[in-house]
Amino acid sequence: MQVNIEPSWNAVLKDEFEKPYFKNLTDFVKNEYSQNTCYPPGKKIFSAFDHCPFGKVKVVIIGQDPYHGPGQANGLCFSVSDGIPFPPSLQNIFREIQDDLGKPFPATGNLERWADQGVLLLNAVLTVRQGEANSHQGKGWEAFTDAVIQKVSDEKSDVVFMLWGGFAKKKGARVDKLKHLVLETGHPSPLSANKGHWFWNKHFSKANEFLSQKGKQEIVW
């Protein structure tokens, strides 16, 4: 099946695109977008891959599913389009960066600037119906993104995996910890963060320290 995704990822995932579940998933997504308002815009479904070719991946951050409000989702987990107010989880991410690295809040919550540096901002489910969180769960996206994580774990080395919250920890459970740095903490959502499960995790400085030790360019968070 021909999938409009960045060429290096197309090469890595070509076998996945031929599996029956992916055809069923594609049919489901096409029908949903034709019948309902869904996010992100169709051309941005694979933005996480388009901004971060396979050979450039240095960090993987795993989210759950896209924001489901108008104008928010842009195909990158935790990221919002320019001009959109920061959702609570993203606010807490920026607070942690401020505490960890001394960097002020950015002007925009658009995280394309991270993706372009080699941060794969991967939601487990890549599409959602407007106003209905988790509405596209269980349709095949999870199998696809499991395959993505497995490919990165198997075929690359010295990648930083940031697993935030129980869902992400489960999603990344099979990452090879002998080859990669796996950082785990609570989810940045207020429900978790306000219980002390997020702040002061120092994931951003730890990631850069690891990348520097491996001779890789640090991420400008």
Side-chain angles (χ1 to χ4, degrees), residues 165-183:
F167 180 88
K169 291 172 188 174
K170 185 176 179 181
K171 188 82 175 167
R174 292 174 60 192
V175 171
D176 187 344
K177 294 183 179 181
L178 298 177
K179 293 172 61 183
H180 306 288
L181 176 64
V182 177
L183 300 175

Side-chain angles (χ1 to χ4, degrees), residues 4 6 23 31 46 48 52 70 84 90 102 114 130 140 147 162 170:
N4 189 19
E6 193 276 331
K23 182 187 184 305
N31 184 65
F46 292 112
C52 185
I84 299 294
L90 189 56
W114 292 4
Q130 177 178 302
M162 295 184 177
K170 185 176 179 181

Side-chain angles (χ1 to χ4, degrees), residues 80-97:
V80 290
S81 301
D82 291 322
I84 299 294
F86 303 160
S89 290
L90 189 56
Q91 289 186 40
N92 284 338
I93 289 169
F94 290 148
R95 279 181 63 190
E96 175 60 25
I97 291 172

Side-chain angles (χ1 to χ4, degrees), residues 106 108 110 133 161 177 200:
T108 175
N110 189 336
F161 286 82
K177 294 183 179 181
W200 301 106

Side-chain angles (χ1 to χ4, degrees), residues 3 12 15 25 30 38 54-55 58 83 87-88 90 97 100 103 119 128 148 167 182 184 187 208 210 215-218:
V3 177
V12 168
D15 291 345
L25 170 62
K30 286 179 177 176
C38 295
F54 187 75
K58 296 190 288 188
L90 189 56
I97 291 172
D100 187 11
K103 298 188 63 146
V119 182
V128 70
V148 170
F167 180 88
V182 177
E184 298 185 352
H187 195 276
N208 276 351
F210 177 82
K216 298 183 179 184
Q217 189 76 30
E218 296 182 2

Side-chain angles (χ1 to χ4, degrees), residues 87-145:
S89 290
L90 189 56
Q91 289 186 40
N92 284 338
I93 289 169
F94 290 148
R95 279 181 63 190
E96 175 60 25
I97 291 172
Q98 187 176 52
D99 292 340
D100 187 11
L101 301 174
K103 298 188 63 146
F105 272 48
T108 175
N110 189 336
L111 303 182
E112 289 176 357
R113 61 187 182 275
W114 292 4
D116 291 337
Q117 297 176 74
V119 182
L120 181 63
L121 293 160
L122 182 68
N123 274 318
V125 174
L126 299 189
T127 56
V128 70
R129 196 182 299 169
Q130 177 178 302
E132 296 182 41
N134 307 321
S135 50
H136 287 184
Q137 281 190 354
K139 303 299 182 181
W141 280 128
E142 294 91 344
F144 173 71
T145 51

